[in-house]
Amino acid sequence: MTPDEILKEMYDQTLVGNGPRVLELTHQALEQGMEPQSLLFDSLIPALEEVGARFERGDFFVPEMLIAGRAMAGSMEVLRPLLADTGVETIGKFVMGTVKGDVHDIGKNLVNIMLEGAGFEVIDLGVQVAPEKFVAAIEEHQPDIVGMSAFLTTTMPMFKANLNALTKAGLREQVIVMVGGAPVTQEYADAVGADGYAADASATVKRAKALLAQRRAGVPA
Ligand code: B12
């Protein structure tokens, strides 16, 4: 198969949630010397975007979203070490979690992979992370940045609840807070008082590095 054929079939098979075939194609692509980034950005992510569009139109339902998500996650397990293993030294510590009430983690996991690849040490708290768990993790790990993911308009208000919990625990000033997830916007991030927002994984890396550099230069975020 040519690289284009692989990308196309991988897209189609992710869309229909054929996990075993997506995994097979992932291995085949890598054996042929294709770049892991290309599989991610030219096939897997566009497929999930299409899944979301179909769900919105009522052509797909939750089970379809779930199997498509699983198919992508299976491939990401293979790609993860390849994307993260760039041999760069640690530049900062990042605590990351999906907010309480929300189980979406594909986007968060992708952000984690890219952050690791850029040299961040990432402590992943998983999904459904309650405010007190963010507080405890910050106390324990003393990260430079805490990242919060939310994918539902109903769980986005948890950002504010988390920020309030950090303030109450006296931790707000010592950590940079970044927020993100499909429905989140820069305006929303500003409104809840987060320090940073990014729309995708590579923008997150750029923004995280910039915020860290600012903080280390003594400029408040
Ligand atoms: C797969 C999926 C699921 C899977 C999740 C599997 C998993 N393990 O994650 C399952 C089936 C479980 C699911 C369930 C539901 N889902 Co859903 N889901 C999706 C879908 C199709 C893809 C999400 C995804 O993985 N995208 C791919 C990743 C790579 O993109 P991403 O998530 O946006 O992440 C990127 C950025 O947002 C950013 N980012 C992410 N996190 C962070 C964090 C920080 C700090 C920063 C800076 C950046 C950042 O970088 C990421 C990488 O580039 C989306 C549709 C869509 N277009 O997003 C709907 C979607 C998010 N789901 C939706 C809904 C409604 C639901 C349900 C309520 C459905 C239901 N009726 O039960 C439930 C809720 C369950 C819950 N309590 O959480 C809606 C949300 C609508 C809204 N605005 O509120 C969406 C948008 C679908 C739609 N178009 O209507 N879902």
Side-chain angles (χ1 to χ4, degrees):
M1 285 172 95
T2 67
D4 279 347
E5 282 167 351
I6 291 185
L7 292 176
K8 171 79 175 62
E9 193 184 339
M10 205 168 185
Y11 175 93
D12 292 339
Q13 299 297 336
T14 305
L15 205 54
V16 298
N18 185 350
R21 182 64 186 146
V22 173
L23 204 56
E24 218 170 75
L25 288 163
T26 304
H27 287 296
Q28 190 179 335
L30 294 173
E31 271 159 31
Q32 283 182 214
M34 288 174 69
E35 292 292 330
Q37 283 87 348
S38 167
L39 304 186
L40 203 54
F41 295 111
D42 302 330
S43 187
L44 295 169
I45 292 179
L48 271 249
E49 281 168 0
E50 177 57 22
V51 171
R54 289 186 186 194
F55 180 78
E56 252 171 69
R57 291 200 302 268
D59 295 338
F60 269 16
F61 298 96
V62 174
E64 281 97 342
M65 279 208 291
L66 189 62
I67 55 169
R70 280 203 194 125
M72 173 167 179
S75 175
M76 262 167 58
E77 279 308 301
V78 178
L79 300 180
R80 182 183 197 110
L82 304 173
L83 291 164
D85 184 20
T86 50
V88 291
E89 59 183 275
T90 304
I91 56 170
K93 215 188 249 191
F94 211 116
V95 158
M96 180 72 123
T98 298
V99 300
K100 188 175 170 181
D102 203 318
V103 303
H104 294 85
D105 67 356
I106 298 171
K108 167 184 72 62
N109 294 345
L110 185 55
V111 170
N112 288 349
I113 292 174
M114 301 296 258
L115 285 169
E116 281 169 8
F120 281 93
E121 178 190 347
V122 179
I123 296 123
D124 184 3
L125 306 179
V127 297
Q128 304 252 39
V129 181
E132 53 277 16
K133 203 168 162 196
F134 275 112
V135 167
I138 294 166
E139 280 169 344
E140 183 188 345
H141 301 288
Q142 304 283 320
D144 301 288
I145 308 181
V146 59
M148 301 167 187
S149 262
F151 300 85
L152 300 166
T153 34
T154 50
T155 56
M156 280 162 63
M158 284 312 296
F159 291 149
K160 189 70 195 158
N162 291 335
L163 281 157
N164 289 343
L166 297 195
T167 305
K168 208 169 150 205
L171 297 168
R172 180 63 188 98
E173 295 310 313
Q174 79 177 52
V175 70
I176 297 167
V177 175
M178 290 188 75
V179 296
V184 185
T185 59
Q186 181 66 57
E187 291 68 39
Y188 192 84
D190 293 341
V192 296
D195 302 310
Y197 158 80
D200 59 44
S202 37
T204 304
V205 170
K206 258 196 222 148
R207 192 80 184 100
K209 281 183 174 172
L211 286 166
L212 202 55
Q214 256 181 33
R215 176 67 60 106
R216 286 181 178 160
V219 185

Coordinates of all heavy atoms in Angstrom, one line a residue, residues 151-212:
F151 N -14.6 18.6 28.0 CA -15.1 18.3 26.7 C -16.6 18.6 26.5 O -17.1 18.4 25.4 CB -14.7 16.9 26.2 CG -13.2 16.7 26.2 CD1 -12.6 16.4 27.4 CD2 -12.4 17.0 25.1 CE1 -11.2 16.3 27.5 CE2 -11.1 16.9 25.2 CZ -10.4 16.6 26.4
L152 N -17.2 18.9 27.6 CA -18.6 19.1 27.6 C -18.9 20.5 28.1 O -18.3 20.9 29.1 CB -19.3 18.0 28.5 CG -19.1 16.6 28.1 CD1 -19.5 15.7 29.3 CD2 -19.8 16.2 26.9
T153 N -20.0 21.1 27.5 CA -20.3 22.4 28.0 C -20.8 22.3 29.5 O -20.7 23.3 30.3 CB -21.4 23.1 27.1 OG1 -22.3 22.0 26.7 CG2 -20.8 23.7 25.9
T154 N -21.3 21.1 29.9 CA -21.7 20.9 31.2 C -20.6 20.7 32.2 O -20.8 20.8 33.4 CB -22.7 19.7 31.3 OG1 -22.0 18.6 30.7 CG2 -24.0 20.0 30.6
T155 N -19.4 20.4 31.8 CA -18.3 20.2 32.7 C -17.3 21.3 32.7 O -16.5 21.4 33.6 CB -17.6 18.8 32.5 OG1 -17.1 18.8 31.1 CG2 -18.5 17.6 32.7
M156 N -17.4 22.2 31.7 CA -16.5 23.4 31.7 C -16.5 24.2 32.9 O -15.5 24.7 33.4 CB -16.8 24.2 30.5 CG -16.2 23.7 29.2 SD -17.0 24.4 27.7 CE -16.6 26.1 27.8
P157 N -17.7 24.4 33.6 CA -17.7 25.2 34.8 C -16.8 24.6 35.9 O -16.5 25.3 36.9 CB -19.2 25.1 35.3 CG -19.9 24.9 34.0 CD -19.1 24.0 33.2
M158 N -16.4 23.3 35.8 CA -15.4 22.8 36.8 C -14.1 23.5 36.8 O -13.4 23.4 37.8 CB -15.2 21.3 36.5 CG -16.4 20.4 37.0 SD -17.0 20.7 38.6 CE -15.6 20.2 39.6
F159 N -13.8 24.2 35.7 CA -12.5 24.9 35.7 C -12.5 25.9 36.8 O -11.6 26.1 37.6 CB -12.3 25.7 34.4 CG -12.0 24.9 33.2 CD1 -12.5 25.3 31.9 CD2 -11.3 23.7 33.3 CE1 -12.2 24.5 30.8 CE2 -11.1 22.9 32.1 CZ -11.5 23.4 30.9
K160 N -13.7 26.7 36.9 CA -13.8 27.7 37.9 C -13.8 27.1 39.3 O -13.1 27.6 40.2 CB -15.1 28.4 37.7 CG -15.3 29.7 38.5 CD -14.4 30.8 38.1 CE -14.3 31.9 39.1 NZ -13.1 32.7 39.0
A161 N -14.5 25.9 39.5 CA -14.5 25.3 40.8 C -13.1 24.8 41.2 O -12.7 25.0 42.3 CB -15.4 24.0 40.7
N162 N -12.3 24.4 40.2 CA -10.9 24.0 40.5 C -10.1 25.2 40.9 O -9.3 25.1 41.8 CB -10.3 23.3 39.2 CG -10.9 21.9 39.0 OD1 -11.5 21.3 39.9 ND2 -10.9 21.5 37.7
L163 N -10.2 26.2 40.1 CA -9.4 27.5 40.4 C -9.8 28.0 41.8 O -8.9 28.4 42.6 CB -9.7 28.5 39.3 CG -8.9 28.3 38.1 CD1 -9.5 28.9 36.9 CD2 -7.5 28.7 38.2
N164 N -11.1 27.9 42.2 CA -11.5 28.4 43.5 C -10.8 27.5 44.6 O -10.4 28.0 45.6 CB -13.0 28.3 43.7 CG -13.7 29.4 42.9 OD1 -13.0 30.4 42.4 ND2 -15.0 29.3 42.6
A165 N -10.8 26.2 44.3 CA -10.2 25.3 45.2 C -8.7 25.5 45.4 O -8.1 25.5 46.5 CB -10.4 23.8 44.8
L166 N -8.0 25.9 44.3 CA -6.6 26.2 44.4 C -6.4 27.5 45.2 O -5.4 27.6 46.0 CB -6.0 26.4 43.0 CG -5.9 25.3 42.0 CD1 -5.0 25.6 40.8 CD2 -5.5 24.0 42.7
T167 N -7.2 28.5 45.0 CA -7.1 29.7 45.7 C -7.3 29.5 47.2 O -6.5 29.9 48.0 CB -8.2 30.7 45.2 OG1 -8.0 30.9 43.8 CG2 -8.0 32.1 45.9
K168 N -8.3 28.7 47.5 CA -8.7 28.4 48.9 C -7.5 27.7 49.6 O -7.2 27.9 50.8 CB -9.9 27.5 48.9 CG -10.7 27.7 50.2 CD -12.1 27.0 50.1 CE -12.5 26.5 51.5 NZ -13.4 25.4 51.4
A169 N -6.8 26.8 48.8 CA -5.7 26.0 49.4 C -4.4 26.9 49.4 O -3.3 26.4 49.8 CB -5.5 24.8 48.6
G170 N -4.5 28.1 48.9 CA -3.3 29.0 48.9 C -2.3 28.6 47.8 O -1.1 28.9 47.9
L171 N -2.7 27.9 46.8 CA -1.8 27.4 45.8 C -1.9 28.2 44.4 O -1.0 27.9 43.6 CB -2.1 25.9 45.5 CG -2.0 24.9 46.6 CD1 -2.6 23.6 46.2 CD2 -0.5 24.7 46.9
R172 N -2.9 29.0 44.3 CA -3.1 29.6 43.0 C -1.9 30.4 42.4 O -1.6 30.3 41.2 CB -4.3 30.6 43.1 CG -4.7 31.2 41.8 CD -5.1 30.2 40.7 NE -5.3 30.8 39.4 CZ -4.3 30.8 38.4 NH1 -3.2 30.2 38.7 NH2 -4.6 31.4 37.3
E173 N -1.2 31.1 43.3 CA -0.1 31.9 42.8 C 1.1 31.1 42.4 O 2.0 31.5 41.7 CB 0.4 32.9 43.9 CG -0.7 34.0 44.2 CD -1.3 34.6 42.9 OE1 -0.5 35.0 42.1 OE2 -2.5 34.7 42.8
Q174 N 1.2 29.8 43.0 CA 2.5 29.1 42.7 C 2.4 28.2 41.5 O 3.4 27.6 41.1 CB 2.9 28.2 43.9 CG 2.1 27.0 44.1 CD 2.6 26.2 45.3 OE1 2.7 26.7 46.4 NE2 2.9 24.9 45.1
V175 N 1.3 28.2 40.8 CA 1.2 27.3 39.6 C 0.5 28.0 38.5 O -0.4 28.8 38.6 CB 0.5 26.0 40.0 CG1 -1.0 26.2 40.3 CG2 0.6 24.9 39.0
I176 N 1.0 27.7 37.3 CA 0.4 28.3 36.0 C -0.8 27.3 35.7 O -0.7 26.1 35.8 CB 1.4 28.3 34.9 CG1 2.5 29.2 35.2 CG2 0.7 28.6 33.6 CD1 3.7 29.0 34.2
V177 N -2.0 27.9 35.4 CA -3.1 27.0 35.1 C -3.5 27.2 33.6 O -3.7 28.3 33.1 CB -4.4 27.4 35.9 CG1 -5.6 26.6 35.5 CG2 -4.1 27.2 37.4
M178 N -3.5 26.0 32.9 CA -3.9 26.0 31.5 C -5.2 25.2 31.4 O -5.4 24.2 32.1 CB -2.8 25.4 30.6 CG -1.6 26.2 30.5 SD -0.5 25.5 29.3 CE -1.3 26.0 27.7
V179 N -6.1 25.6 30.5 CA -7.3 24.8 30.3 C -7.5 24.6 28.8 O -7.0 25.3 27.9 CB -8.6 25.6 30.8 CG1 -8.5 25.8 32.3 CG2 -8.7 27.0 30.1
G180 N -8.2 23.5 28.5 CA -8.5 23.2 27.1 C -9.5 22.1 26.9 O -10.1 21.6 27.9
G181 N -9.8 21.7 25.7 CA -10.8 20.7 25.4 C -11.7 21.3 24.3 O -11.7 22.5 24.1
A182 N -12.3 20.4 23.6 CA -13.1 20.8 22.3 C -13.9 22.0 22.5 O -13.8 22.9 21.6 CB -13.9 19.6 21.8
P183 N -14.8 22.1 23.5 CA -15.7 23.3 23.5 C -15.1 24.6 24.1 O -15.7 25.6 24.2 CB -16.9 22.8 24.3 CG -16.3 21.8 25.3 CD -15.1 21.2 24.6
V184 N -13.8 24.5 24.6 CA -13.2 25.6 25.4 C -12.7 26.6 24.4 O -12.2 26.3 23.3 CB -12.1 25.1 26.3 CG1 -11.5 26.2 27.2 CG2 -12.6 24.0 27.2
T185 N -12.8 27.9 24.8 CA -12.3 29.0 23.9 C -11.4 29.9 24.8 O -11.4 29.8 26.0 CB -13.4 29.9 23.4 OG1 -14.1 30.4 24.5 CG2 -14.4 29.1 22.5
Q186 N -10.6 30.7 24.1 CA -9.7 31.7 24.8 C -10.6 32.6 25.7 O -10.2 32.9 26.8 CB -9.0 32.5 23.8 CG -8.0 33.5 24.4 CD -6.9 32.9 25.2 OE1 -6.1 32.1 24.6 NE2 -6.7 33.2 26.4
E187 N -11.7 33.0 25.2 CA -12.6 33.9 26.0 C -13.1 33.2 27.2 O -13.1 33.8 28.3 CB -13.9 34.3 25.1 CG -13.7 35.2 24.0 CD -12.9 34.5 22.8 OE1 -13.1 33.3 22.6 OE2 -12.0 35.2 22.2
Y188 N -13.4 31.9 27.1 CA -13.9 31.2 28.3 C -12.7 31.0 29.3 O -12.9 31.2 30.5 CB -14.4 29.8 27.9 CG -15.1 29.1 29.1 CD1 -16.5 29.4 29.3 CD2 -14.5 28.3 29.9 CE1 -17.2 28.9 30.4 CE2 -15.2 27.7 31.0 CZ -16.5 28.0 31.2 OH -17.1 27.4 32.3
A189 N -11.5 30.7 28.8 CA -10.4 30.6 29.6 C -10.1 31.9 30.4 O -9.8 31.9 31.6 CB -9.1 30.2 28.8
D190 N -10.2 33.0 29.7 CA -10.0 34.3 30.3 C -11.1 34.6 31.4 O -10.8 35.1 32.5 CB -10.1 35.5 29.3 CG -8.9 35.4 28.3 OD1 -7.9 34.8 28.6 OD2 -9.0 36.0 27.2
A191 N -12.3 34.2 31.0 CA -13.4 34.5 32.0 C -13.3 33.7 33.3 O -13.7 34.2 34.3 CB -14.8 34.1 31.3
V192 N -12.7 32.5 33.2 CA -12.6 31.7 34.5 C -11.3 32.1 35.2 O -11.1 31.6 36.3 CB -12.7 30.2 34.3 CG1 -14.1 29.8 33.8 CG2 -11.6 29.7 33.4
G193 N -10.4 32.9 34.6 CA -9.2 33.3 35.2 C -8.0 32.3 35.1 O -7.1 32.3 35.9
A194 N -8.1 31.5 34.0 CA -6.9 30.6 33.7 C -5.8 31.5 33.1 O -6.0 32.5 32.6 CB -7.3 29.5 32.7
D195 N -4.6 30.9 33.2 CA -3.4 31.7 32.6 C -3.2 31.4 31.2 O -2.7 32.2 30.4 CB -2.1 31.3 33.4 CG -2.3 31.6 34.9 OD1 -2.7 32.7 35.2 OD2 -2.0 30.6 35.7
G196 N -3.7 30.2 30.7 CA -3.4 29.9 29.3 C -4.5 28.9 28.8 O -5.1 28.2 29.5
Y197 N -4.6 29.0 27.4 CA -5.5 28.1 26.7 C -4.8 27.8 25.4 O -4.0 28.5 24.9 CB -6.8 28.9 26.4 CG -7.6 28.3 25.2 CD1 -8.4 27.1 25.4 CD2 -7.5 28.8 23.9 CE1 -9.0 26.6 24.3 CE2 -8.1 28.3 22.8 CZ -8.9 27.1 23.0 OH -9.5 26.5 21.9
A198 N -5.1 26.6 24.9 CA -4.6 26.2 23.5 C -5.6 25.3 22.9 O -6.3 24.5 23.6 CB -3.3 25.6 23.6
A199 N -5.7 25.4 21.6 CA -6.8 24.7 20.9 C -6.4 23.3 20.5 O -7.2 22.4 20.3 CB -7.1 25.4 19.6
D200 N -5.1 23.0 20.4 CA -4.6 21.6 20.1 C -3.3 21.3 20.8 O -2.8 22.2 21.5 CB -4.5 21.4 18.6 CG -3.5 22.4 18.0 OD1 -2.5 22.5 18.5 OD2 -3.9 22.9 16.9
A201 N -2.8 20.1 20.6 CA -1.7 19.6 21.4 C -0.4 20.4 21.1 O 0.3 20.8 22.0 CB -1.5 18.1 21.1
S202 N -0.2 20.7 19.8 CA 1.1 21.4 19.5 C 1.0 22.8 20.0 O 2.0 23.4 20.5 CB 1.5 21.3 18.1 OG 0.4 21.3 17.2
A203 N -0.2 23.5 19.9 CA -0.3 24.8 20.4 C -0.1 24.8 22.0 O 0.4 25.8 22.5 CB -1.7 25.4 20.1
T204 N -0.6 23.7 22.6 CA -0.4 23.6 24.1 C 1.1 23.6 24.4 O 1.5 24.3 25.4 CB -1.0 22.3 24.6 OG1 -2.4 22.3 24.2 CG2 -0.9 22.2 26.1
V205 N 1.9 22.9 23.7 CA 3.3 22.8 24.0 C 3.9 24.2 23.8 O 4.7 24.7 24.7 CB 4.0 21.9 23.0 CG1 5.5 22.0 23.1 CG2 3.6 20.4 23.3
K206 N 3.6 24.9 22.8 CA 4.1 26.3 22.5 C 3.7 27.2 23.6 O 4.5 28.0 24.2 CB 3.5 26.8 21.2 CG 4.5 26.7 20.1 CD 4.0 27.6 18.9 CE 4.2 26.9 17.6 NZ 3.2 27.2 16.6
R207 N 2.4 27.2 24.0 CA 1.9 28.1 25.0 C 2.5 27.8 26.4 O 2.9 28.7 27.1 CB 0.4 27.9 25.0 CG -0.4 29.0 25.8 CD -0.6 30.3 25.0 NE -1.2 31.3 25.9 CZ -0.6 32.2 26.5 NH1 0.7 32.4 26.4 NH2 -1.2 33.1 27.3
A208 N 2.6 26.5 26.7 CA 3.2 26.1 28.0 C 4.7 26.6 28.1 O 5.1 27.1 29.1 CB 3.2 24.5 28.1
K209 N 5.4 26.4 27.0 CA 6.8 26.9 27.0 C 6.9 28.4 27.2 O 7.7 28.9 28.0 CB 7.5 26.5 25.7 CG 7.9 25.1 25.7 CD 8.7 24.9 24.3 CE 9.3 23.5 24.2 NZ 9.8 23.4 22.8
A210 N 6.0 29.1 26.5 CA 6.0 30.6 26.6 C 5.6 31.0 28.0 O 6.3 31.9 28.6 CB 5.0 31.2 25.6
L211 N 4.6 30.4 28.6 CA 4.1 30.8 30.0 C 5.2 30.5 31.0 O 5.5 31.3 31.9 CB 2.9 30.0 30.3 CG 1.6 30.5 29.6 CD1 0.5 29.4 29.8 CD2 1.1 31.8 30.2
L212 N 5.9 29.4 30.8 CA 7.0 29.0 31.7 C 8.2 30.0 31.6 O 8.7 30.4 32.6 CB 7.5 27.6 31.3 CG 8.2 26.7 32.4 CD1 7.3 26.6 33.6 CD2 8.5 25.4 31.8

